[in-house]
Amino acid sequence: GAGVSQSPRYKVAKRGRDVALRCDSISGHVTLYWYRQTLGQGSEVLTYSQSDAQRDKSGRPSGRFSAERPERSVSTLKIQRTEQGDSAVYLCASSLTTGSNQPQHFGDGTRLSIL
Amino acid sequence: KQEVTQIPAALSVPEGENLVLNCSFTDSAIYNLQWFRQDPGKGLTSLLLIQSSQREQTSGRLNASLDKSSGRSTLYIAASQPGDSATYLCAVQAGGFKTIFGAGTRLFVKA
């Protein structure tokens, strides 16, 4: 497909476990973002990567979140030692370049539930 | 710290009505502002992107304006249709690729 694809669509995990969410971005897109969307806090950016950087710096809320980019158009968001507060929809987005005229294209998200 | 606010939080209008959604931001040092549409259980669909140097963008029945000095953007939807029912989000992107979203406006267009 031509759009951003995320898998799985739904994920249930026990608290304390590590989880990994996958994003296949649009071929040729350079910049890739991970967002978390919750009812109470809206949408917030977690990490982003530019070009072929394999590992992003962790974003909010803590170092438990990291993203790896094993291939240019693939990113994996890893959440370590999950907490119930991590339950949310995780959205991946990519843009062609870092230019200010480049819109972000979003996937449909992964709904994560931590028990 | 950049904060993005959207008003109203929810809006219900009859079909055919023109409407305006509002977005305000506290820091005018932005890279661009983007309006998205989100349907239930789906990701965000980009509607319009306005670069910081631009004043407005148009696409079909949609028109978005940007006034950086006052920290405001509006999304104008002409001749609304039931298919326009969705949540509309505005997001500002600042330096370092940081994107801040508003909480969204839930729009319901009645047939």
Side-chain angles (χ1 to χ4, degrees):
Chain A
V4 177
S5 176
Q6 292 186 243
S7 60
R9 286 283 282 133
Y10 304 93
K11 175 75 175 177
V12 179
K14 288 186 177 180
R15 185 180 56 176
R17 295 289 180 92
D18 298 349
V19 299
L21 312 179
R22 179 184 170 112
C23 172
D24 289 83
S25 65
I26 297 173
S27 178
H29 278 201
V30 170
T31 309
L32 196 146
Y33 308 80
W34 281 97
Y35 295 89
R36 180 171 68 177
Q37 191 175 49
T38 60
L39 279 177
Q41 299 181 4
S43 304
E44 58 175 344
V45 64
L46 293 173
T47 76
Y48 51 83
S49 72
Q50 185 182 354
S51 71
D52 294 330
Q54 278 202 324
R55 185 179 293 273
D56 305 327
K57 292 184 178 180
S58 291
R60 299 173 61 176
S62 72
R64 296 187 298 109
F65 291 74
S66 64
E68 294 184 356
R69 204 162 169 180
E71 302 171 35
R72 190 180 179 101
S73 62
V74 177
S75 176
T76 301
L77 178 70
K78 295 185 176 181
I79 310 174
Q80 296 177 303
R81 304 179 303 282
T82 52
E83 303 170 358
Q84 285 191 321
D86 296 334
S87 297
V89 175
Y90 289 83
L91 295 169
C92 171
S94 68
S95 61
L96 182 60
T97 69
T98 57
S100 62
N101 64 337
Q102 294 301 320
Q104 294 180 41
H105 300 266
F106 282 78
D108 284 343
T110 293
R111 183 174 294 278
L112 176 64
S113 297
I114 303 300
L115 305 178
Chain B
K1 178 187 174 185
Q2 179 74 274
E3 293 182 2
V4 179
T5 304
Q6 290 188 245
I7 295 173
L11 182 63
S12 180
V13 300
E15 182 178 7
E17 192 162 297
N18 302 325
L19 57 100
V20 175
L21 307 181
N22 297 291
C23 173
S24 61
F25 48 96
T26 54
D27 187 346
S28 62
I30 64 172
Y31 205 46
N32 61 41
L33 184 145
Q34 200 164 353
W35 281 94
F36 295 91
R37 168 190 172 132
Q38 187 171 32
D39 294 287
K42 295 290 187 179
L44 281 65
T45 300
S46 178
L47 298 173
L48 291 165
L49 179 146
I50 311 177
Q51 297 179 70
S52 62
S53 58
Q54 298 175 327
R55 300 280 296 184
E56 68 175 343
Q57 285 288 325
T58 298
S59 175
R61 294 183 293 107
L62 305 178
N63 175 277
S65 66
L66 174 64
D67 184 343
K68 269 202 331 176
S69 61
S70 65
R72 292 179 182 178
S73 176
T74 61
L75 178 66
Y76 176 81
I77 302 177
S80 58
Q81 303 170 358
D84 294 332
S85 298
T87 296
Y88 291 80
L89 296 160
C90 78
V92 297
Q93 188 169 28
F97 314 111
K98 192 171 180 64
T99 303
I100 309 295
F101 281 84
T105 294
R106 283 175 288 124
L107 173 66
F108 180 64
V109 181
K110 297 172 287 188

